[in-house]
Amino acid sequence: MTSAVTARPTAGIAPDRFRQAFRRHPAGVVVITADVGGGPVGFTATSLTSLSLTPPLVSFGIATTSSSWPHVQRAATAVVNFLADDQESVARTFATSGIDRFAAPTDWARLPDGEPVLRGSAGWLRVGIEQLVPAGDHRLVIARVEEAHVEAGRGPLLFHDGTYHSL
Ligand SMILES: Cc1cc2nc3c(=O)[nH]c(=O)nc-3n(C[C@H](O)[C@H](O)[C@H](O)COP(=O)(O)O)c2cc1C
């Protein structure tokens, strides 16, 4: 069968075209944190998606080149920290390579089971990691939400067209 919309077997669009398309797509900003025993790790992400209600699942993408990947790959649990609109500096810190992202002024604590959690966020989810799905140069992490904390009165941090925004 032929169709004008039939996908052709190509390598897809170029990375610049891909980035250009997603610059127009606003997204909430989170920091994913975990600790598998080697100290806390975390990275800024906009790929968080609410995936399933029953069971409660989320997904996010992580680059296999990321310094956090070897840790997330071995983690049983992680924390999704929803950044608040006054946490742009936190978003920048957790997207900066080669620094200690948990050093002051980063304000963080540990949950009872040891997961690192950022203070001052709009809320957080403690998740149990269930699947790591190969997806190009990333892995799609599928995780079950075990616990949710919402901080009333804090607006979200958004990323759009290469800059941070509040609502
Ligand atoms: C707004 C924004 C969103 C990002 N989203 C993701 C994401 O969803 N997944 C990911 O692996 N990296 C994402 N990154 C990149 C990471 O935050 C981080 O910079 C990258 O993992 C490099 O860290 P490394 O030097 O520790 O390897 C994002 C960065 C920014 C600024």
Side-chain angles (χ1 to χ4, degrees), residues 43-47 61-63 65-67 94-95 97 101 138 159 164:
F43 66 101
T44 298
T46 49
S47 56
I62 178 168
T65 52
S66 157
S67 63
F94 280 85
S97 302
R101 296 171 180 172
H138 280 55
F159 193 70
Y164 293 94

Side-chain angles (χ1 to χ4, degrees), residues 16-140:
D16 280 355
R17 188 74 177 144
F18 184 91
R19 284 197 200 95
Q20 192 183 28
F22 270 86
R23 285 181 78 89
R24 310 302 304 165
H25 175 65
V29 184
V30 302
V31 169
I32 312 284
T33 48
D35 190 345
V36 287
V41 298
F43 66 101
T44 298
T46 49
S47 56
L48 181 79
T49 300
S50 160
L51 190 61
S52 161
L53 190 57
T54 310
L57 299 176
V58 296
S59 70
F60 59 87
I62 178 168
T64 52
T65 52
S66 157
S67 63
S68 300
W69 166 240
H71 303 261
V72 171
Q73 187 176 26
R74 292 190 293 129
T77 61
V79 174
V80 176
N81 303 268
F82 294 102
L83 294 194
D85 53 14
D86 61 354
Q87 290 187 303
E88 178 176 337
S89 63
V90 177
R92 291 185 185 281
T93 296
F94 280 85
T96 301
S97 302
I99 61 165
D100 177 0
R101 296 171 180 172
F102 289 84
T106 298
D107 193 7
W108 66 284
R110 287 192 188 272
L111 295 179
D113 287 335
E115 297 92 347
V117 63
L118 301 181
R119 286 204 180 98
S121 73
W124 49 263
L125 307 174
R126 194 175 73 86
V127 302
I129 295 176
E130 299 215 329
Q131 288 185 62
L132 303 172
V133 182
D137 56 7
H138 280 55
R139 293 294 176 269
L140 183 70

Side-chain angles (χ1 to χ4, degrees), residues 140-156:
L140 183 70
V141 180
I142 298 177
R144 185 183 295 244
V145 180
E146 308 283 0
E147 196 178 343
H149 177 83
V150 178
E151 202 64 52
R154 286 191 168 268

